[in-house]
Amino acid sequence: MTGRFAVAVLAALPAAVAWSAGNEFAVSDDQLARLGVTLGKAEVVELVELAAVPAEVVVPPTHQALVSAPAGGIVARLLVAEGDAVKAGQPVAEIDSVEHVERQRDYLDAAAAAELARAQEARDRSLLEEGIIAERRANESAAAARAAVARLEQARAQLALAGFASADLSKLESQRRLATRIVLRAPFAGVITAQRTKVGERVAALDAVLGVADLSSLWLELRVPQESAARVAPGMLVSVTTRGSTVTGNVTTVGGVVDPATQTVLVRAAIDNPAGVLRAGQVLTARVLARPASGVAYAVPAAAVTRNGGKVLVFVRRA
């Protein structure tokens, strides 16, 4: 049996196929067998790969936090270690702090002073209405009450930084018992990414104790050659495969600056990671996929594609 082969010229996307009837030639089944030619069907695909480049898995800045010491002291306990998963509000460390004791005492003093100042203000306002004292004295007591309340709010804010909730403040005011230990808690659910200190070490106010990150949603940062980056746009699909699973996301950012050393453009994609398949810091091969302009494309083996005179060609068997 003898069939005919036609040379098909491929444009930039495989879907754009221009048939050239003048480029047909006859070839028999025996000739195909001797040449080792295998026939196969082109497969219809919905997405076309624009680039396959290295990508780094990055934690978005909004998904990272440092658990810091609100006051100076000694690290008494570390309740978690690097790599541990934590829940929002979970205790992660404890600090013994004399400074913390002083802040509680300052709060109680400020609360008592504010109470006295407000009482004095009310008394002077009553006396002013009765015409017993001058207006200036009433104004002075009102200003003193406002200053006392401001000092109380400052003391309350300092304790709030140490993890004191409203219930803790109420307990402090009623029992007047000063706590010597600060309990640090995770700001959100995530994974401990760094341990910045050890048990027994002294920390100052605002020193970092632990790092925590929410890894349920990550970024992929791709370095795409500038020629390919010109065809990449926000919303396009990005796919990576790791540990036997394929994870997909969407392009959110296409950089406007070319790296002079590598001649690449930063492309960023947001990718969900609820199962924890991806790990921050991984370097993977990411594929940028797009729908063809014509709405459909055809996939053929790479060995089926040839080039001649600057054109990209495939051979098509015809009856």
Side-chain angles (χ1 to χ4, degrees):
M1 174 181 175
T2 299
R4 304 189 69 82
F5 270 83
V7 180
V9 182
L10 301 183
L13 289 178
V17 178
W19 298 101
S20 178
N23 288 335
E24 293 185 355
F25 59 92
V27 61
S28 67
D29 290 341
D30 291 340
Q31 289 173 316
L32 287 178
R34 287 197 298 271
L35 291 172
V37 175
T38 303
L39 299 179
K41 292 183 178 180
E43 297 180 357
V44 177
V45 293
E46 296 181 355
L47 297 171
V48 176
E49 182 179 296
L50 297 184
V53 297
E56 182 180 0
V57 181
V58 176
V59 182
T62 54
H63 288 199
Q64 302 179 58
L66 287 175
V67 181
S68 302
I74 302 295
V75 178
R77 297 178 66 194
L78 288 173
L79 306 177
V80 293
E82 184 175 342
D84 286 350
V86 294
K87 299 178 181 179
Q90 176 181 331
V92 294
E94 296 178 358
I95 297 175
D96 287 334
S97 173
V98 174
E99 185 178 331
H100 181 53
V101 174
E102 293 173 348
R103 288 182 178 179
Q104 293 172 81
R105 184 199 61 201
D106 291 342
Y107 174 79
L108 292 175
D109 291 345
E115 184 178 355
L116 288 174
R118 284 193 291 257
Q120 184 64 47
E121 178 190 15
R123 187 162 46 250
D124 287 349
R125 189 183 307 113
S126 177
L127 294 174
L128 175 64
E129 293 173 355
E130 296 175 7
I132 298 176
I133 63 172
E135 184 178 357
R136 177 181 177 182
R137 179 175 166 182
N139 291 339
E140 289 174 349
S141 62
R146 288 194 295 271
V149 170
R151 287 191 293 271
L152 177 60
E153 290 301 319
Q154 179 183 1
R156 181 181 286 115
Q158 289 177 330
L159 289 180
L161 286 174
F164 263 53
S166 298
D168 298 319
L169 290 174
S170 299
K171 183 178 179 181
L172 175 62
E173 292 175 356
S174 62
Q175 298 182 1
R176 309 187 75 82
R177 182 179 301 170
L178 307 182
T180 60
R181 182 164 291 186
I182 302 173
V183 178
L184 305 184
R185 300 179 182 275
F188 48 72
V191 174
I192 300 299
T193 57
Q195 180 180 316
R196 303 298 181 89
T197 187
K198 298 178 181 179
V199 173
E201 288 188 348
R202 179 174 292 276
V203 291
L206 302 183
D207 279 355
V209 177
L210 296 165
V212 61
D214 177 6
L215 304 182
S216 62
S217 180
L218 298 168
W219 283 351
L220 285 175
E221 291 193 343
L222 297 69
R223 284 291 176 179
V224 180
Q226 60 171 330
E227 299 82 3
S228 300
R231 295 186 292 163
V232 179
M236 287 184 176
L237 193 69
V238 174
S239 171
V240 293
T241 301
T242 180
R243 298 159 60 187
S245 299
T246 298
V247 186
T248 60
N250 295 98
V251 174
T252 59
T253 304
V254 179
V257 178
V258 176
D259 187 325
T262 62
Q263 291 298 291
T264 58
V265 175
L266 173 65
V267 173
R268 182 178 295 123
I271 194 161
D272 290 333
N273 187 41
V277 175
L278 298 177
R279 293 190 174 101
Q282 273 185 292
V283 177
L284 307 165
T285 298
R287 301 167 61 228
V288 182
L289 306 171
R291 297 190 181 279
S294 61
V296 65
Y298 299 94
V300 297
V305 181
T306 187
R307 297 176 184 272
N308 184 25
K311 295 180 179 180
V312 182
L313 311 171
V314 294
F315 294 94
V316 180
R317 185 75 185 272
R318 314 182 78 175

